[in-house]
Amino acid sequence: KKTSDELREAYLFFRKTEHRIQLNHQIQTHELPRTLEDQEDLARRMGYSDNALRNFLADLEKHRRVVEELFSSMFYHSGEEILNSVSPEVRQLVEIIEDQDKTKSLLSRLGFAEPDASYTIIKGIIRPSDRKVGSEKGRSLLERLAPLFIEELLNVPEPDRALIALDRYIDSLYAHSAYFSTLLENPPTVRFIMKILGESRFFTDLLIRHPQAIDSLIARGAQEYPKSKESLENELEERLV
């Protein structure tokens, strides 16, 4: 009963916030205003008065944590399960990450042109600090997610560049660690995101500026993209009939 009440309160809070944002900007968006002035205005339109913005953000974080913890408890993948699902090279990388020389040597063999720089970034993803992810829960989720990211990283043409883009993308999720849970339950989306980060600078910048776009990617079945040439030709033929 307590869980259902908390989930209901979180849903109503998020929906009310979403409606206030969309009414003000006259567009469909799920992002908070960027400026403090606009955030303060949103907080007051949400009904907050004294210390409006601080109290609004505190409630927002409280509801986010409720949803994040519930999601994680329902869809839990242990680190061991994930490691068993990736390649031996990725498992070895995770296991030896504290040994700088061995890890750099492995990175070089795996196709990284700049193993020194890449080592620092990869270690920060496998062993995230509080500067990388704000909450302890978020850091735990990223640790479990890291092998999936690295597995896909090994399949892109320029892993060094894609790794830098991945690091920027993770930084953009600093206050939105619930998305790590979403990605853990959607490995095809991890693959799709890494394809974007590895092949398109334009869409990488777009994804980093709008990290909530993950929701749309999952909801619209983006994991099925990019479509094959045959699939596109068949779709075109159907539309022309």
Side-chain angles (χ1 to χ4, degrees), residues 166-197:
L166 173 61
D167 191 47
R168 291 175 58 209
Y169 174 64
I170 291 173
D171 285 345
S172 76
L173 296 175
Y174 180 86
H176 306 282
S177 58
Y179 285 110
F180 294 144
S181 295
T182 304
L183 292 176
L184 280 169
E185 290 309 313
N186 292 273
T189 304
V190 174
R191 188 175 306 119
F192 183 68
I193 287 174
M194 285 309 307
K195 189 169 184 64
I196 290 175
L197 299 178

Side-chain angles (χ1 to χ4, degrees), residues 5 32 40 48 57 59 64 124 130 143 172 176 185 193-194 197 201 222 231 236:
D5 287 345
L32 288 177
E40 179 78 28
Y48 293 84
L57 293 177
D59 284 346
R64 276 176 173 166
D130 56 358
E143 281 191 30
S172 76
H176 306 282
E185 290 309 313
I193 287 174
M194 285 309 307
L197 299 178
R201 294 185 180 182
S231 176
L236 178 61

Side-chain angles (χ1 to χ4, degrees), residues 80-96:
E80 184 177 355
E81 288 174 329
I82 291 173
L83 282 176
N84 288 334
S85 72
V86 297
S87 65
E89 293 81 5
V90 173
R91 286 200 299 274
Q92 183 183 6
L93 187 63
V94 173
E95 290 166 359
I96 67 172

Side-chain angles (χ1 to χ4, degrees), residues 35-100:
T35 68
L36 287 177
E37 181 180 356
D38 286 344
Q39 290 178 8
E40 179 78 28
D41 180 61
L42 171 62
R44 295 194 178 282
R45 285 187 287 110
M46 285 288 292
Y48 293 84
S49 52
D50 296 334
N51 296 315
L53 181 57
R54 186 178 68 181
N55 290 332
F56 165 69
L57 293 177
D59 284 346
L60 178 65
E61 181 61 22
K62 179 188 72 174
H63 290 306
R64 276 176 173 166
R65 288 182 182 276
V66 166
V67 175
E68 177 184 325
E69 291 173 6
L70 177 61
F71 195 101
S72 297
S73 68
M74 292 175 65
F75 306 103
Y76 180 85
H77 286 289
S78 70
E80 184 177 355
E81 288 174 329
I82 291 173
L83 282 176
N84 288 334
S85 72
V86 297
S87 65
E89 293 81 5
V90 173
R91 286 200 299 274
Q92 183 183 6
L93 187 63
V94 173
E95 290 166 359
I96 67 172
I97 193 63
E98 299 297 340
D99 190 317
Q100 185 170 328

Side-chain angles (χ1 to χ4, degrees), residues 12 31 46-47 53 69 81 85 120 156-157 159 203 208 219 222 232 241:
L12 293 174
E31 296 186 13
M46 285 288 292
L53 181 57
E69 291 173 6
E81 288 174 329
S85 72
T120 301
V156 301
F203 286 109
I208 289 170
L232 289 171
V241 171

Side-chain angles (χ1 to χ4, degrees), residues 1-12 63 66:
K1 181 66 165 61
K2 179 184 177 184
T3 299
S4 63
D5 287 345
E6 289 178 336
L7 195 57
R8 181 176 181 276
E9 288 178 12
Y11 172 78
L12 293 174
H63 290 306
V66 166

